Amino acid sequence: MTIPASFIQELIARADVVEIVGRYVQLKKAGANFMGLCPFHGEKSPSFSVSPTKQFYHCFGCGVHGNAIGFLMEHAGMGFVEAVHDLAGQYGMQVPEDDVSPAERARAASQRQKQATLTDVLEKAGDAYRKHLRQAPGAIEYLKGRGVSGEVAKQFGIGYAPAGWRALASVFPDYDDPLLAESGLVIVNNEEGKLSEEEAKRYDRFRDRVMFPIRNVKGECIGFGGRVLGDEKPKYLNSPETPVFSKGRELYGLYEARSAFRDRGYALVTEGYMDVVALAQLGFPNAVATLGTACTTEHVQKLFRFTESVVFSFDGDAAGRRAARKALDGALPYATDVRSIKFLFLPTEHDPDSFIREHGAEAFARFVNEATPLSRFMIEAAREGCDLTTAEGRAHMTSNVRPLWGAMPDGALKRQLLSEIATLVQLDASALSELWASTPGPRKAGGAPAQQRRHDEPPSYGDAGGDDYYPDMPPPQDYEPPRYESDSKPKFQQRKFTGKGGKRWGGKFEEPIEPLRGRGAPPSRPDVAVRLLLSNMAQWEALSHELHVMLCDLPGQHGALFTWLDSQLHEHGVQPWAALREGLRGLEFEALAERLMSVAEAGPIPEGEEAQHLADAARELASVLDFMLEELLKKQENEAIAAFGKDPDAPDRFRAIQARRLELRARLRASGSETA
């Protein structure tokens, strides 16, 4: 669905950013603006400003900024379309759906109404469970025995489901209401269709269990997890799949842990509800848990909407290693150069709760810091059972590691791993690339390629899907980044759409393109960035939040084009240039995009050189963005200097920015790109 820009403008004009932000942040009037503690990083003195006149928020500490839609995306983890619908609903506005048929529009409206109704039913049940907990000494004793305080129990909305078969009948007078079964609260035993709806037996799904509400990122109850008080089986029982709840996409504790991700710097993924609750009690409020299922790509993608660092915590036994192996598969497509993914294995006799109680929070924090990086765990998983002292064992590892390495997005991490893998199997990196290029990937029974991507998983540069496998290649020794003329100092404007996430496209990449040639002025750095990102939109998702903001804040048509590209990713996922070209029709920056892409379409890439062109384009984009970031850091240095004597934090801010800029300059110098 394409949402007209005119509607977005009207929505932002009608929404009150102070009201929206004020629901999550305590704001106080400070002159013409409102100030509060930034929800995106830990701070003791307020630096988060919200302007009612500009309808804009900005943090002078971490630099995050945006409008009401951007705040919902960043703070609540919503996608762009979801944030627009949520904000429009708060102000009684109907989101236009001009490109949707009346039948589809009615079906979508019915689905939204059904979801809202189901969450209302689940919220009502949750309230009842919490009331029952007050009169359940056994459940209270169990929670106390696990060290759960009343404050933490209230924070997570913990309750208790009585032992009776139809306890919910006192909460819902119409116990035969189909919504009770559809929400997963009531089981209908129809004896395989032999009984009528009236004769079918109905009873509560959850009985004599401590109840843990499962909330979505907006805080709505979408399901429950129940834990028995003794050792009966099953120990844990989850709500079934419903229109509002999917185990493969939801994480327990995510709503409660969002702000803690930013404060602690990482998300800690555990295996159970009690792990999350106990960790919050013991000083680790940044923990979440999967819901009785293996960690999926959807789980990982959702986590990276809130943080750039994820630590998976598992038991050290065989079952824990198997769970970690599945989490590795889900995490590999998101292992970009700007993200950190680690695996923590506790001693076999401990879970996080017992470990902290025996050894203390500091010891657990050290365990987290020393967790196994994804790169090391991937290689350990691939070499398991392989005797690397023999040629057969090394060949076996080569086969094991290929689909894992191929699932990773292109970047420095992936290239380093290619060299490390090549060393372990006693091959040159170029020889290993040639080997993988000349042989088809491993296949499952029935002819389907192994490690086949889901439609919503990100494609990597080493895996174009199906049999079109293009391996990554090491950079040529004589590679020299192209030179570009620098733009004048940019005047940074408000970024209209912020946040990350959105669907990914599972088809082939657009072919990369040669540098612009011909008469006229050389392309500017923003020109080159536009050309590379329009020719391969998947690269936008791999960029850091800081680079997203920098590009969207560029002046004039460049910034507007990048802002539009960001919104396209949230609305439609990764698209090829042909689709993007249609979406540009009639927009102010259509001519700019057409001009920059026209030369790109002039000639095809020689057969067999696709992977090298992709790698060259990725290096070219990284070089250009590094220079643009250095210019931005120079500007921020000057702003900090100008604030000396007015802002007591200005000297520290200047030193931090200067250190970053010098580090970036050293990297450019080391890569031979300093004069580009």
Side-chain angles (χ1 to χ4, degrees), residues 52 67 129 415 418 423 437 459 469 493 497 511 593 608 611 641 644 651 675:
N67 54 31
Y129 292 144
R415 291 180 177 282
L418 179 68
T423 300
Y469 181 84
Q493 301 173 342
F497 302 99
E511 295 181 343
I641 292 172
F644 275 35
T675 58

Side-chain angles (χ1 to χ4, degrees), residues 33 58 70 111 122 126 131 195 199 221 278 286 338 340 397 400 407 414 487 491 545 628 646-647 655 661 668 670 675:
N33 298 330
H58 178 81
Q111 180 70 7
L122 291 162
K131 291 177 182 177
L195 303 177
E199 296 172 321
C221 183
N286 54 323
V338 297
S340 170
M397 179 185 168
N400 289 347
K414 185 175 185 179
D487 284 337
K491 298 176 182 178
H545 177 66
M628 294 175 68
K646 305 173 186 176
D647 182 356
R655 283 190 288 271
R661 189 177 68 80
L668 289 169
T675 58

